[in-house]
Amino acid sequence: MDFADSATTSTTAMRSSTSAADDDILYPEEHNVTSVSDDHETTCWGCGLRVLVSPHVPAFKCFWCGAISNQNIIKCENQNFRWRRLRDRCFVSILIVFILLVICGGIWAIYPVLLSLGYIYGGVNILIAIILSIFTLSTFSLSAFRSAGAPPNIIWGSYPAVTKGALENYRFCEYCAKPKSPRAHHCRSCGMCVLDMDHHCPFIGNCVGAANHRHFILFLISAIIGMIYASIMSVYAVYHIWPPLNNWQIHLLTGAFGQKLVMRMLKDIFVAFMSSMLFLPARGLVLIYLFIASVSIEIGLSVLLWQQLSFIYEGKTYLSHISASGGEGTAVKDCQNFVRFFGFPYTRTRYLPSFFSSKKRHKK
């Protein structure tokens, strides 16, 4: 009996081992289970400390310095940077030449007419035109050729030197290979990170950021004022040199009433106007072109200025407005944003302290 039982037991064991081996051959993936920890060790770029993070999260924040690290690091390069820079500078040079041609053409076309009306009148208008031109060109040059605002250099990469929270919400720019603050954005056309970047403007060939945003707004204001002034003066000059309309071309309208009368009158006036335009000198054609160009440019710049002032009032930039961070509601709509933006050194309490800053005293 004992021999039979042992034989039966060994036979059963052999069958079980054989079935287990068959199961391994048929279903090998069911037994390849290993106990490996989900977290892995990585290094924070901000302070150099090693932290345990899950491999499934795309980014993590360091507990010490507050820097945000991206685990899916892709080395980026500024491709075609020189070509973009050369393109922007060529466009800016062409635009400066165009502005100078408009200024010189306007002076050549307008001011002989104004000087014929009076030397004092013409001299005052020439002085106004020169002041507006110099201010517009200077603010344009500051916006185009001044740095838009590079972020300040900070200490990073070493634990003893980086204090706690020193790199709060900082990210690592793969283009510049250095830290990037939450308020900075990288511009591929400029090849640098720009602090408080609003947008990259092709007309100035530069980014609009913390260092030149104020000059950009002043350029828009001066350009709009200059275009309004040029359009008014061109109309005034054309009015004085336009050939007189021939009275015989406006016939006496008889037998016409209502809408038909108005249409015939407008037709005769238009024909007389175009006929007199044939005798207009070259200066008059330049004035017409100057008026059309001035009105078109001032409309476009006015829309842009209104948009910029709206963002300044809201305490935002264009990029923060269209990005996800713009919807967080941290910015406050206030007129004090204009004061902070333009950097007024004094407020009304500086000049009127007794009315606005002093407390009221009540006598008992």
Side-chain angles (χ1 to χ4, degrees):
M1 279 300 286
D2 296 338
F3 176 75
D5 293 339
S6 61
T8 304
T9 304
S10 62
T11 304
T12 306
M14 291 175 62
R15 288 179 178 177
S16 61
S17 62
T18 305
S19 62
D22 294 339
D23 292 340
D24 291 339
I25 296 173
L26 294 176
Y27 308 103
E29 67 277 0
E30 295 182 0
H31 300 277
N32 295 335
V33 180
T34 57
S35 59
V36 179
S37 177
D38 291 338
D39 296 339
H40 73 283
E41 195 177 50
T42 184
T43 304
C44 172
W45 64 264
C47 57
L49 295 178
R50 301 188 67 84
V51 293
L52 289 175
V53 295
S54 173
H56 304 291
V57 294
F60 65 92
K61 187 174 181 179
C62 180
F63 70 96
W64 175 257
C65 63
I68 300 175
S69 301
N70 186 10
Q71 296 199 89
N72 301 323
I73 297 177
I74 301 175
K75 182 60 179 178
C76 302
E77 296 180 358
N78 287 326
Q79 298 180 354
N80 301 326
F81 165 69
R82 293 183 179 179
W83 161 247
R84 295 194 192 101
R85 202 62 176 169
L86 179 62
R87 177 199 60 190
D88 291 341
R89 291 311 178 192
C90 291
F91 189 79
V92 169
S93 301
I94 294 173
L95 190 59
I96 291 177
V97 173
F98 174 76
I99 294 174
L100 292 175
L101 287 176
V102 170
I103 293 174
C104 296
I107 293 176
W108 173 80
I110 294 176
Y111 291 100
V113 180
L114 298 180
L115 288 174
S116 64
L117 301 177
Y119 289 103
I120 298 178
Y121 182 74
V124 170
N125 283 277
I126 289 176
L127 182 61
I128 294 174
I130 292 174
I131 293 174
L132 288 174
S133 301
I134 293 175
F135 192 75
T136 302
L137 287 174
S138 60
T139 52
F140 177 82
S141 300
L142 289 173
S143 302
F145 300 107
R146 185 176 181 178
S147 176
N153 295 323
I154 57 175
I155 300 175
W156 63 282
S158 178
Y159 164 68
V162 179
T163 59
K164 186 174 180 61
L167 300 175
E168 188 69 26
N169 293 329
Y170 271 67
R171 293 180 180 271
F172 190 77
C173 180
E174 301 298 333
Y175 294 95
C176 301
K178 63 181 182 179
K180 180 177 66 175
S181 68
R183 296 167 49 197
H185 298 271
H186 184 85
C187 178
R188 295 185 181 181
S189 297
C190 296
M192 60 177 291
C193 290
V194 179
L195 189 63
D196 288 339
M197 178 178 173
D198 187 84
H199 67 285
H200 182 85
C201 182
F203 296 102
I204 64 174
N206 195 9
C207 284
V208 178
N212 65 345
H213 200 172
R214 187 189 310 170
H215 300 107
F216 182 73
I217 298 297
L218 294 177
F219 162 69
L220 293 179
I221 295 173
S222 62
I224 291 172
I225 295 175
M227 292 297 103
I228 293 174
Y229 176 77
S231 59
I232 293 174
M233 289 294 102
S234 59
V235 170
Y236 184 77
V238 166
Y239 174 77
H240 284 83
I241 67 173
W242 196 274
L245 299 178
N246 295 326
N247 296 328
W248 60 271
Q249 291 179 347
I250 305 178
H251 302 288
L252 181 62
L253 302 177
T254 57
F257 301 96
Q259 183 179 2
K260 187 176 181 181
L261 175 64
V262 175
M263 294 301 296
R264 288 183 60 184
M265 182 180 297
L266 292 177
K267 179 181 178 181
D268 286 348
I269 293 175
F270 178 76
V271 171
F273 183 80
M274 296 303 295
S275 299
S276 63
M277 189 176 177
L278 298 175
F279 303 97
L280 193 67
R283 180 175 281 107
L285 298 177
V286 173
L287 290 172
I288 293 175
Y289 170 77
L290 182 62
F291 172 76
I292 297 175
S294 300
V295 172
S296 303
I297 294 174
E298 70 189 43
I299 290 174
L301 294 182
S302 299
V303 174
L304 180 58
L305 178 62
W306 176 259
Q307 182 191 52
Q308 290 289 311
L309 293 179
S310 300
F311 290 150
I312 294 172
Y313 173 73
E314 296 174 0
K316 301 178 181 178
T317 60
Y318 177 71
L319 287 182
S320 65
H321 176 74
I322 63 176
S323 62
S325 61
E328 294 178 356
T330 56
V332 179
K333 296 181 179 180
D334 190 7
C335 292
Q336 290 295 325
N337 293 327
F338 291 108
V339 177
R340 287 188 290 268
F341 178 81
F342 289 102
F344 295 138
Y346 305 109
T347 59
R348 62 183 183 181
T349 57
R350 172 81 177 184
Y351 302 101
L352 300 174
S354 59
F355 293 98
F356 295 99
S357 60
S358 62
K359 296 181 180 180
K360 293 182 179 180
R361 296 179 180 179
H362 300 277
K363 295 181 180 181
K364 294 182 179 180

